[in-house]
């Protein structure tokens, strides 16, 4: 007769508890793995977006008031002008063409803070302290003849007077849109840019004695500012005021810009202009990806 032993319930219960612990451990590991994968994908996506699509900047000066206020955060579309052409009235962030900004000493940071900033800057969540960027509005495109001012104090582009009242900030009682008269023709692959706070912006007008003669190479443009993201009560899409520039006729083919080494004073910048320049603030752009002045 064969004896059949009955399995021990105590032993069986022990094995079940071990299996449950093993399954819980495996589930926790799978969950952690999935979280890590999601984090890496999000990180890569953020870096790619910052590199190729949009970039964040903060505004450290008042040269674009009242369109942009000091400490505003903005998003910049980097597809313009690399894939999409710029238009009159676009607000653009660009690298200093040379000598527009004074050198800014980098603040000292402890190693831990520097490491955290480096990571956040890489994914576009913090300013990268790029103190060589500015932000202005495009007034003249390649070939345009930009003149200021007529009897009403207006600026004209290719013979068409502009009513810029929708976005300009002028001193009380002043109607002229520039304290300095000028008559320039924009060379090929360049822009003529001006700040909306026209009497407090060291823009193209006040850099005509520099190597680039006040013009911004299109290649220096980082992108077009499209959105104010912070603070929340300043949230707004940035308009290029197409109706202001809608009547401008196409410009003739522009001439190539002169080599930077040639002696040329541009449109006759004199000591009065140099004195006025000293009174004008040049906004510095450290970037929330960066800053623009």
């Amino acid at each position: 007769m064969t004896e059949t032993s009955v399995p021990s319930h105590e032993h069986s219960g022990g094995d079940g508890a071990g299996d449950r612990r093993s399954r819980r451990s495996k589930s926790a590991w799978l969950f952690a793995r999935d979280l890590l994968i999601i984090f890496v994908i999000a990180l890569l996506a953020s870096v790619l977006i910052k590199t190729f699509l949009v970039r964040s900047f903060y505004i450290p000066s008042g040269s674009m008031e009242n369109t942009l206020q000091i400490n505003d955060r903005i998003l910049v579309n980097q597809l313009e002008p690399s894939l999409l052409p710029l238009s009159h009235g676009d607000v653009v962030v660009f690298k200093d063409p040379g000598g527009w900004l004074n050198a800014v000493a980098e603040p000292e940071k402890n190693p831990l803070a520097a490491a955290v900033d480096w990571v956040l800057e890489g994914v576009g969540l913090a300013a990268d302290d790029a103190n060589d960027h500015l932000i202005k509005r495009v007034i003249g495109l390649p070939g345009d003849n930009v003149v200021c001012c007529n009897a009403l104090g207006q600026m004209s582009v290719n013979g068409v007077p502009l009513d810029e009242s929708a976005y300009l900030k002028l001193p009380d009682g002043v109607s002229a849109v520039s304290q300095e008269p000028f008559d320039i023709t924009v060379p090929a692959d360049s822009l003529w840019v001006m700040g909306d706070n026209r009497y407090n912006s060291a823009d193209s007008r006040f850099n005509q004695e520099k190597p680039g003669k006040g013009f911004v190479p299109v290649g220096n443009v980082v992108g077009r500012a499209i959105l104010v993201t912070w603070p929340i009560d300043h949230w707004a899409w940035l308009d290029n005021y197409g109706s202001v520039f809608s009547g401008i006729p196409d410009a003739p083919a522009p001439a190539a810009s002169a080599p930077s080494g040639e002696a040329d004073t541009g449109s006759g910048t004199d000591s009065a202009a140099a004195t006025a320049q000293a009174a004008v603030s040049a906004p510095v752009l450290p970037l929330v990806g960066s800053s623009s002045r």
Side-chain angles (χ1 to χ4, degrees):
M1 183 175 183
T2 305
E3 181 179 353
T4 304
S5 61
V6 178
S8 169
H9 292 290
E10 182 180 352
H11 179 72
S12 175
D15 287 347
D19 290 343
R20 286 193 296 272
R21 284 194 297 271
S22 177
R23 285 195 296 269
R24 283 197 297 269
S25 177
K26 184 176 182 181
S27 297
W29 159 245
L30 291 175
F31 178 72
R33 184 199 65 181
D34 291 344
L35 279 182
L36 180 61
I37 291 174
I38 292 171
F39 174 77
V40 171
I41 292 174
L43 185 66
L44 291 175
S46 179
V47 171
L48 290 173
I49 288 172
K50 178 185 175 183
T51 303
F52 299 107
L53 297 179
V54 295
R55 189 172 174 184
S56 182
F57 288 77
Y58 77 85
I59 307 301
S61 80
S63 74
M64 282 296 292
E65 293 176 345
N66 287 318
T67 302
L68 298 171
Q69 305 297 323
I70 296 174
N71 293 327
D72 276 356
R73 267 66 171 171
I74 61 172
L75 284 184
V76 172
N77 176 10
Q78 296 187 104
L79 296 179
E80 300 180 60
S82 57
L83 294 180
L84 302 172
L86 294 172
S87 301
H88 293 107
D90 285 344
V91 177
V92 296
V93 171
F94 56 94
K95 296 178 183 178
D96 184 353
W100 288 36
L101 298 173
N102 296 323
V104 177
E106 292 290 336
E108 292 186 5
K109 298 179 182 179
N110 65 60
L112 178 59
V116 171
D117 284 349
W118 181 82
V119 172
L120 295 178
E121 290 162 10
V123 298
L125 296 178
D128 61 11
D129 294 328
N131 292 310
D132 59 348
H133 289 72
L134 301 96
I135 185 166
K136 306 291 178 190
R137 191 177 297 276
V138 175
I139 302 298
L141 295 172
D144 283 345
N145 176 223
V146 186
V147 180
C148 195
C149 301
N150 64 16
L152 298 177
Q154 296 172 314
M155 180 168 53
S156 64
V157 179
N158 298 339
V160 177
L162 305 179
D163 179 4
E164 301 182 273
S165 57
Y167 56 81
L168 278 193
K169 179 180 179 180
L170 299 176
D172 292 340
V174 173
S175 59
V177 301
S178 174
Q179 64 269 55
E180 290 298 320
F182 57 87
D183 183 346
I184 60 91
T185 297
V186 184
D189 301 318
S190 299
L191 304 169
W192 179 265
V193 298
M194 300 173 72
D196 289 355
N197 189 357
R198 204 56 62 79
Y199 280 67
N200 190 28
S201 174
D203 46 44
S204 288
R205 297 167 295 165
F206 298 103
N207 288 283
Q208 296 181 69
E209 80 285 358
K210 305 292 171 55
K213 302 175 186 176
F215 302 110
V216 176
V218 173
N220 281 40
V221 176
V222 174
R224 179 173 69 88
I226 56 174
L227 180 69
V228 179
T229 60
W230 189 264
I232 293 175
D233 59 342
H234 290 183
W235 191 97
W237 293 101
L238 292 174
D239 196 346
N240 68 356
Y241 296 93
S243 60
V244 173
F245 303 89
S246 60
I248 297 175
D250 292 338
S257 55
S260 60
E262 286 189 14
D264 187 352
T265 56
S267 57
T269 303
D270 55 18
S271 59
T275 302
Q277 180 183 4
V280 177
S281 70
V284 176
L285 289 183
L287 296 173
V288 179
S290 315
S291 73
S292 305
R293 307 176 193 209

